[in-house]
Amino acid sequence: MANGFLTNDEITNEALALFHEKTTFIRSIDSSYDARFAKTGAKIGDTLDLRDSIDPQVFDGARLNTIPDVVERSRQVKVDIRKHTVMRWTMHDRTLNMDDFSRRFIDPHVSNLAAAIEYEAIKRATQATFNSVGTPGTPLANLATPLAAKTKISQWLGPKTGRNIMLSAAASATMVDSLKGLFNNQAEVGKQYREGHMGRAIGFDWAESESVHTHTNGTATNGAVAATVAVNGQATINLKNLGANATITKGSVFTVANVRSVHPQTKAPRTDLQQFVVTADVTATAGGLANNVPIQLGLYYANEAYKNITAAPQVDAVVTWVGAPGGSYEQSLAYVRDAFTFVSVDLAIPESAKGSRKSFEGTSLRLVQQYDIVEDYETFRLDFLGGFAARREHWASRLWS
């Protein structure tokens, strides 16, 4: 490419292309660009509504005894992921060809920006996922745990297509020997240029990421239910005997004795205990009591469309946490593409500034320019604003190690 003065639009487009290449997880989930803010720009704290799929009931017999209401639920996504990076160069630097300019200035900044946003998305996805497999503290060494994750997703009727597994570098290293004979499919060779892509095996696209989340349990010990759940669909639970001033960290997973999962369509009971994940940090009282602990999966025990457990948690039922108190565990993640949604919105360009705003593959970035007349430098900030939603988190499973 011949030398020329690179425009703001060209720089923004290059930044977007690099961002897309470097976000392994975000590229593998549902993404949504909301064009409503194209003129005015969005603000942090804005919300978007995302519709959930309906879950109709099936009845026995020829007679139609009831016409149930069709409940179309939606989730409100808060626009609260705001990240930016600052770039600085001389007017002379902008006369470089795009390849040189990108290598020296754009790529390093976009790499760090993408990594920060990618980490935030993976952390939120992991913390919202209640399905869990593997043994905390035991590295992944064979296909047993990934196959268990595959079973979890299938039990929740996750689509057979669009399935992914995201591993850390450490987990990836321990799995290579088990999978070395499975990643030789010539159809996969063309994908190897993608950062983090490993290949396809056992129904999953495998990828590696250094942004895999490490979860740390709070100090709470195994306890019990403090009060019988009496409201169908309730998304909180009261717990006791957790230890004096015990802490429960967001993303911690637990089971309740005698509360089993059900088939999503037939509602037939299963043998495995339903897993629940805590959605906010909680601190127990000096007596070890924690009331209204928020959980991701509502407690639907009545015989209706959204039933997901066999029975309501009863007082004194034993509560068991996944992992030891205070333990830190790497969380690889198996998921279907539509389990999570990454949302990007437009930021306004200030009237007093020069800049550019572009969108590509569900991501919007804004570039704003300021000139230093004394030093003959240009300073730019590259901004992202968006949000994240776990829309069908039952189509995902954590792999503890």
Side-chain angles (χ1 to χ4, degrees):
M1 178 178 175
N3 286 355
F5 190 79
L6 296 174
T7 67
N8 288 343
D9 283 350
E10 289 173 325
I11 294 171
T12 308
N13 283 331
E14 176 70 7
L16 271 167
L18 289 170
F19 183 92
H20 181 66
E21 289 179 7
K22 296 176 184 297
T23 49
T24 306
F25 176 70
I26 291 172
R27 193 174 60 232
S28 69
I29 63 175
D30 176 56
S31 60
S32 176
Y33 163 66
D34 198 311
R36 287 180 295 172
F37 302 101
K39 293 183 179 180
T40 59
K43 298 179 177 64
I44 194 164
D46 284 347
T47 57
L48 305 172
D49 285 326
L50 297 177
R51 292 180 179 176
D52 284 344
S53 57
I54 62 174
D55 194 0
Q57 285 181 272
V58 176
F59 303 93
D60 290 327
R63 182 179 176 80
L64 193 156
N65 292 313
T66 182
I67 300 178
D69 293 332
V70 177
V71 180
E72 188 177 32
R73 298 185 296 184
S74 64
R75 301 200 186 193
Q76 207 170 54
V77 183
K78 192 171 184 179
V79 177
D80 60 356
I81 301 176
R82 178 71 190 269
K83 306 284 185 183
H84 71 273
T85 186
V86 179
M87 304 179 284
R88 195 166 185 246
W89 50 70
T90 66
M91 296 294 291
H92 173 72
D93 292 326
R94 291 186 72 171
T95 64
L96 295 171
N97 65 52
M98 178 56 80
D99 289 343
D100 290 339
F101 187 84
S102 179
R103 176 179 53 81
R104 288 180 53 190
F105 298 106
I106 304 177
D107 189 278
H109 288 87
V110 172
S111 293
N112 288 354
L113 180 65
I117 297 170
E118 179 100 323
Y119 172 76
E120 185 67 27
I122 293 176
K123 180 181 74 172
R124 294 190 185 197
T126 305
Q127 290 177 333
T129 300
F130 52 83
N131 286 326
S132 298
V133 296
T135 303
T138 301
L140 300 177
N142 53 53
L143 289 176
T145 302
L147 286 170
K150 182 179 181 180
T151 299
K152 283 280 188 182
I153 294 172
S154 294
Q155 286 178 335
W156 281 91
L157 308 183
K160 303 297 183 184
T161 58
R163 293 189 178 190
N164 303 272
I165 285 186
M166 180 75 64
L167 300 176
S168 68
S172 175
T174 61
M175 290 296 296
V176 166
D177 191 56
S178 294
L179 299 173
K180 62 185 179 183
L182 301 178
F183 287 155
N184 294 325
N185 186 336
Q186 294 303 306
E188 299 298 308
V189 173
K191 296 181 181 179
Q192 297 304 318
Y193 73 91
R194 293 182 182 175
E195 293 192 19
H197 184 84
M198 293 166 58
R200 183 168 180 82
I202 65 167
F204 288 105
D205 284 321
W206 295 67
E208 178 184 309
S209 174
E210 277 307 295
S211 296
V212 166
H213 180 59
T214 295
H215 173 73
T216 301
N217 278 341
T219 60
T221 59
N222 293 337
V225 176
T228 297
V229 173
V231 179
N232 185 56
Q234 180 176 314
T236 60
I237 190 169
N238 298 337
L239 305 179
K240 63 181 181 180
N241 303 336
L242 303 175
N245 303 310
T247 57
I248 304 171
T249 51
K250 182 178 181 178
S252 295
V253 179
F254 67 94
T255 58
V256 179
N258 301 317
V259 178
R260 292 179 290 152
S261 63
V262 302
H263 188 281
Q265 288 179 331
T266 67
K267 311 306 178 186
R270 289 200 169 110
T271 57
D272 56 310
L273 295 178
Q274 179 58 54
Q275 295 171 314
F276 303 96
V277 64
V278 179
T279 59
D281 293 342
V282 176
T283 301
T285 66
L289 176 67
N291 286 328
N292 299 316
V293 177
I295 55 178
Q296 181 75 6
L297 185 68
L299 299 161
Y300 289 92
Y301 53 85
N303 189 23
E304 50 96 61
Y306 294 106
K307 181 177 181 178
N308 52 33
I309 53 176
T310 53
Q314 301 294 304
V315 65
D316 294 329
V318 174
V319 169
T320 304
W321 300 100
V322 177
S328 291
Y329 306 102
E330 206 167 58
Q331 310 276 278
S332 296
L333 192 64
Y335 55 96
V336 175
R337 178 180 181 83
D338 289 336
F340 309 110
T341 296
F342 176 76
V343 177
S344 180
V345 295
D346 288 314
L347 281 163
I349 298 175
E351 292 183 3
S352 59
K354 293 182 179 179
S356 174
R357 183 180 61 210
K358 299 290 182 179
S359 63
F360 174 72
E361 295 290 338
T363 301
S364 176
L365 292 178
R366 182 194 68 177
L367 187 77
V368 176
Q369 170 188 2
Q370 184 179 61
Y371 177 66
D372 184 339
I373 196 172
V374 177
E375 300 293 338
D376 194 28
Y377 268 97
E378 290 181 308
T379 301
F380 287 80
R381 58 179 294 163
L382 186 66
D383 285 85
F384 169 86
L385 178 61
F388 177 86
R391 298 181 66 186
R392 299 175 181 88
E393 62 275 20
H394 46 283
W395 288 353
S397 179
R398 292 152 74 164
L399 291 76
W400 292 66
S401 61

